Each structure stands twice: as C-alpha cells, then as structure tokens.
Amino acid sequence: MQLIGHRSKIVTSTDGKGLISQAGDLLLMETLRATGLSKGLSQALQPWRAPRAAHDPGKIVADLAMTLALGGDCLADIAVLRSSRELYGPVASDPTVSRLVTTLAAAGGKALRAIRAARAQARATAWSLAGERAPGADGTLIPVDLDATIVIAHSDKEQAAPTWKHTYGFHPMTAFIDHGQDGTGEAAALLLRRGNAGSNTADDHITAGRLALNQIPAHLHKQVLIRADSAGGTRAFLAWVSARRLKYSIGFNLTDDICAAIPHLPKDVREVAYDAERQPRDGAWVAELTGLLDLSSWPKGMRVIVRKERPHPGAQLRFTDIDGHRYTCFVTGTRPGGSRGQLADLELRHRRRARREDRIRCAKDTGLRNMPLHGFAQNQIWCELVALASELTAWMQMLALDGHPARRWEPKRLRLRLFSTVGRMVKGGRRLRLRLAHHWPWADLIATAIPRLQMLPAP
C-alpha cells in the first residue's frame, strides 16, 4: 500500500498563463449566441445604459446568468468570469453590477417586461433550432407545471414574512415548461411573493400562468397543458384557463360531495391505474365522478377523476382515507376518447407533474435557494436571473447534448463534469484554440458539443 505521505511534496505557484478554470462554460456562451439571447438582452436593456457607459447592461445580465449557471449565489460571484477575460471578454466590476441591478429594480415592471420579452424571443429561436427535439414538436402537448415553494431568508429582507411551514422568508410561485422524460425543463416564470402568501391564491396562479403563456410562441398555445396541484383547483383559476381554451390537469380537493359520491361508483366503471412506465399497477384504480356531481358552477366540460389505491407500507393514514384506501382527485377538460384519452392515461399524465419538484430543486441549485439582496424589487430581478440561468442550461442540453445521458443531467453534475473543466487558451494561425486535458473523462463530450452549437446559425 502506498501512503500519501511518501509522495513528493507538490509546490504551488501562480505563474500559469492561458489557463481557463471554467472552460466548459463555452457551451453556455455558444448557446447565448445561437439563441440570440445576448443580442436580445442588449437591445431590450438599452434604455438603462448610462451615457458613455463602458459596459452594456445586456452583457452584464447575461454574465450574471452564466454566473448562476456555474453555481454562484450572489452578485459578487461574477468575479469568476472576470478572471477569464480571454473567454468572457470585459466583465463589469462589482459596483457597476450592483448599480445596474438597483437601476433595473427601480424601473419595476418596465425592466422586467424588457427582460421577459428577450427571453421569449430567445426561447422561440431555441425551439426552432431544436426542431423535433423541442417541446410541442409533432403536435405533442407542452406541459406547464405551476407550484409554489419556500425560500428561507436568514436576515430581515423586504417583504419577508413567516411561512406556513413555520419558517421565515418568501413563497414564490413558479411555472416550469416540462421537456418530458428524456429532458429537463425551462423556468417560464418565477413570481416572487411574501412568505405568508397563500398556496391556493387564484390571482397568483393566473399571474404565473399568464407570464408562462407569454413565454411560449403564440402558435403553440393550443398545445399547452396547464398542470397544478389542488392549490390551483379554484373556480377563478379554472375559469381563466377555460376562457383561453387551454388544456388543463389540476388537482382537486376531496369535498364532502365527492366523498359522498365515491361509495356510489359502480365497480364496473373502474379502470386499473398505470405506473410510471405505463404498465398496470396492482392495487390502484381510476374512475370518473363527473356524472355523480353537480358541476353547474364550474367551467363547462370539466371532468372529475378519482384515483383509489392502497397506501404504501409505512404511509401515514389520512382522514380522507375510506375503507383503508387512499383517494385523490383531479379535474381536466380533456374529452374522453382515443388511446390517450382513457382515464388511466389522463391520470398518469397528471401524476407526471411531480417532475416539477426536480425543476424546483434545480432552480434552487441555480440561485433560488436564497434571496441575496435586501429590496423586494431587487430580489425579483434576481429571480429573473435565476430563470435566465435555468433556461440557458436547458437550451444548451437540448441543442448540444441530445442523444446523450447528459441531456438529463442536473446543474450539480453539469458543473462537476462539464463546466468546471480546465482548459488552456492557445493563439495560433489567426485562431483561438481551447485545449482540454486528454485524460478528462468528458473531454470528448465537450469537444463534440461545442461545435454542434457553433454550427447553429445566429439569428
């Protein structure tokens, strides 16, 4: 056995030249170029550029988004980019970055609309470049999952308040575009709210849904599927969704009327439920309750579907459990008929909204874990930066890593294996060459993905 103590002492120095510590971030930079996001941000934020300013506000926002994608959790972490001028070009100083965020926060909704418009335009370009790999390709549904999450504040921030989980902080409403089982997802909307904001507030669901819908190209709106838990099962929100003729699959509370109607369900109307692989699941059934309920005050065409299953071993029983079985409910406007309109398929489609938990976890790994600024408007700008970083990463995976397991890698793994790769920038023959270590296990993946992005035409 060879002991570490017997190895030669390693001498360190700071005289290395041409080394890039985050060489894999070239993937994100090429995604910025291919989608036109960098140019779109520059144009959208031009009104907030000070006279004779050396730094473009759009470039600063794009740099901050890349900083969060690399794992930064405060504005000062942009120093990681500033240390590699050969790769990132000129990067603004900390005071300049802070002043810009303060200026955008003071502009309020006008600045937010400018950033969101640039994001929507870049999203349309990214989906167009992706072709059949994009959400909604070949007429498939585009799931948009709405949910709220808790963000803890460890100091007294503006509008931070006690949460329903007995913590202190914020309760933002999120909306994510799901890429399905073979991909990740995009942060369509991150709506910052007070910590004591309600879970089933219809106005907040409508606002988040509207912001998410604005991020999707208009010609694809007929393919949008709004999914939410029972917090979204309110008359106002369902009326808003129905008025726009959007497809929906939303959780529903077990009301007294529903509990009273369940015993009257004939046994022959039950269907065996599916598991995650669309195989029959033992001990689980689905049935429709629409005909046994008075739904005259709800949107026309709304169907109520109930799932019955035996609780998993060790699961805590609830008051709503009947005869040892657990019941859950959801509503949908999808009409019966077709292989994908059967009850078991509709229930499986609704249950797949659980992937929103993965999207929220990834967003928290990309800057949403805490609100680093004091002002509420400043932290809403921070949420837009988180959304930019999340979707920039998702677009990079969709455009450059399709067909590889890395298409589904979460931010932590992407940083460890791809973004944190060390390279050397070499000049020669009027070209810049990025040399990666040949022994790095994922060097070939990076060297293949970057040209795929570089071959995409800039808008």
Side-chain angles (χ1 to χ4, degrees), residues 186-397:
E186 306 173 28
L190 296 178
L191 179 65
L192 189 62
R193 305 188 302 165
R194 294 176 56 91
N196 55 4
S199 298
N200 58 346
T201 305
D203 291 342
D204 293 337
H205 278 81
I206 292 173
T207 302
R210 176 176 50 80
L211 293 176
L213 205 59
N214 291 340
Q215 289 295 314
I216 299 175
H219 69 279
L220 296 177
H221 284 186
K222 61 182 179 180
Q223 298 171 227
V224 172
L225 170 68
I226 300 293
R227 294 191 300 201
D229 55 18
S230 58
T234 60
R235 283 184 174 85
F237 182 59
L238 286 169
W240 180 86
V241 172
S242 300
R244 281 148 186 81
R245 298 182 179 180
L246 301 174
K247 298 176 179 62
Y248 61 90
S249 182
I250 297 176
F252 209 63
N253 289 322
L254 288 174
T255 62
D256 293 339
D257 292 341
I258 293 177
C259 292
I262 287 175
H264 298 286
L265 273 172
K267 292 184 178 180
D268 57 352
V269 302
R270 297 187 305 179
E271 297 182 14
V272 177
Y274 291 147
D275 60 12
E277 305 298 328
R278 202 173 176 269
Q279 298 299 318
R281 180 189 179 96
D282 185 34
W285 305 268
V286 290
E288 185 169 356
L289 282 174
T290 307
L292 301 178
L293 301 172
D294 179 14
L295 302 177
S296 57
S297 61
W298 294 88
K300 184 179 179 180
M302 188 181 80
R303 303 170 65 193
V304 181
I305 299 174
V306 62
R307 172 188 173 95
K308 172 185 177 181
E309 67 176 342
R310 290 191 292 267
H312 300 286
Q316 185 176 2
L317 297 180
R318 306 172 181 171
F319 285 108
T320 54
D321 294 341
I322 304 174
D323 295 332
H325 289 85
R326 175 153 300 166
Y327 289 84
T328 54
C329 234
F330 72 97
V331 296
T332 182
T334 303
R335 297 180 180 179
S339 60
R340 295 296 179 179
Q342 302 300 321
L343 297 182
D345 286 301
L346 294 176
E347 195 274 334
L348 176 61
R349 184 184 73 177
H350 176 72
R351 194 152 32 92
R352 281 175 174 163
R353 68 181 176 81
R355 284 197 288 262
R356 78 201 186 283
E357 297 293 345
D358 298 332
R359 306 288 81 80
I360 291 175
R361 182 179 65 251
C362 291
K364 289 191 174 182
D365 288 339
T366 316
L368 193 63
R369 188 170 303 280
N370 69 301
M371 297 292 122
L373 307 172
H374 176 75
F376 186 83
Q378 292 175 319
N379 283 324
Q380 180 60 72
I381 296 294
W382 178 264
C383 288
E384 292 299 314
L385 296 175
V386 173
L388 273 169
S390 299
E391 58 202 7
L392 185 62
T393 303
W395 296 339
M396 182 275 295
Q397 292 175 284

Side-chain angles (χ1 to χ4, degrees), residues 108-230:
K110 188 175 181 180
L112 290 173
R113 286 191 294 269
I115 296 175
R116 290 163 181 167
R119 290 173 52 209
Q121 184 177 7
R123 192 184 317 279
T125 302
W127 289 10
S128 177
L129 293 173
E132 61 182 12
R133 297 164 290 167
D138 299 328
T140 56
L141 294 179
I142 305 175
V144 176
D145 297 320
L146 275 64
D147 197 10
T149 185
I150 297 294
V151 175
I152 297 176
H154 297 283
S155 60
D156 190 15
K157 307 292 180 68
E158 184 181 1
Q159 296 196 33
T163 70
W164 64 276
K165 284 190 174 181
H166 307 290
T167 56
Y168 183 81
F170 301 94
H171 193 195
M173 179 69 68
T174 68
F176 291 92
I177 301 172
D178 186 22
H179 285 190
Q181 292 180 315
D182 298 328
T184 54
E186 306 173 28
L190 296 178
L191 179 65
L192 189 62
R193 305 188 302 165
R194 294 176 56 91
N196 55 4
S199 298
N200 58 346
T201 305
D203 291 342
D204 293 337
H205 278 81
I206 292 173
T207 302
R210 176 176 50 80
L211 293 176
L213 205 59
N214 291 340
Q215 289 295 314
I216 299 175
H219 69 279
L220 296 177
H221 284 186
K222 61 182 179 180
Q223 298 171 227
V224 172
L225 170 68
I226 300 293
R227 294 191 300 201
D229 55 18
S230 58

